[in-house]
Amino acid sequence: GGDYSKLAGGNYSKLAGGNYSKLAGGYDSKLAGGNYSKLAGGDYSKLAGGNYSKLAGGDDSQLAGGYNSKLAGGDNCIIIGDKGSIAKGGLRTVITLVTRNSKYEIESFKSEMVDGKRIKADTFYKLEDGEFVEVN
């Protein structure tokens, strides 16, 4: 769909929308949206959103968001957020966050696995001075 699309698919769906799109797919879905998109997928989903996107995936999902995205996954996920993003996941989820300088060159990154102790499950984190910091 184009910009401002609203798309919903069942299990094993493949959906792509432009900017400001809202996409929802079931189990094992593949969703891609442009800037300011909202994507929700079930377990084993693959979600990619542009800048200022909101992505939510179930267990064993893979999520990637552009600048200032909000990413939330279940257990055993891989989550990557670009500059200004916040992310949370369930146990055994790996979260990678990136910072950039004023020229938009990658300045630093950090990856952590949610262990339930040092990095808490279902708690949003941001990257600040090269370290994960809880978001209130």
Side-chain angles (χ1 to χ4, degrees), residues 14-61:
K14 293 178 183 166
L15 306 171
N19 297 330
Y20 303 95
S21 294
K22 295 178 183 171
L23 293 84
Y27 173 93
D28 205 16
S29 295
K30 293 177 178 71
L31 310 173
N35 296 333
Y36 301 95
S37 293
K38 294 179 183 172
L39 296 87
D43 294 345
Y44 304 98
S45 293
K46 292 177 176 64
L47 299 91
N51 298 334
Y52 302 94
S53 293
K54 294 180 182 172
L55 291 77
D59 294 342
D60 303 293
S61 292

Side-chain angles (χ1 to χ4, degrees), residues 87-91 95 113-125 134:
K88 73 175 181 177
L91 291 174
I95 298 172
M113 186 167 79
V114 177
D115 60 5
K117 296 176 185 150
R118 199 169 54 77
I119 302 295
K120 300 175 196 167
D122 300 319
T123 301
F124 277 106
Y125 288 92
E134 284 186 39

Side-chain angles (χ1 to χ4, degrees), residues 21-129:
S21 294
K22 295 178 183 171
L23 293 84
Y27 173 93
D28 205 16
S29 295
K30 293 177 178 71
L31 310 173
N35 296 333
Y36 301 95
S37 293
K38 294 179 183 172
L39 296 87
D43 294 345
Y44 304 98
S45 293
K46 292 177 176 64
L47 299 91
N51 298 334
Y52 302 94
S53 293
K54 294 180 182 172
L55 291 77
D59 294 342
D60 303 293
S61 292
Q62 298 169 13
L63 298 83
Y67 299 160
N68 301 301
S69 290
K70 185 175 184 179
L71 305 115
D75 294 341
N76 299 304
C77 292
I78 296 172
I79 299 174
I80 300 172
D82 210 329
K83 177 185 177 185
S85 293
I86 63 172
K88 73 175 181 177
L91 291 174
R92 295 169 308 282
T93 287
V94 173
I95 298 172
T96 300
L97 296 175
V98 172
T99 60
R100 293 179 182 263
N101 63 24
S102 59
K103 296 179 185 175
Y104 296 100
E105 299 165 330
I106 293 177
E107 191 172 61
S108 69
F109 74 94
K110 179 127 181 139
S111 294
E112 292 281 356
M113 186 167 79
V114 177
D115 60 5
K117 296 176 185 150
R118 199 169 54 77
I119 302 295
K120 300 175 196 167
D122 300 319
T123 301
F124 277 106
Y125 288 92
K126 64 181 176 180
L127 192 59
E128 193 172 276
D129 297 323

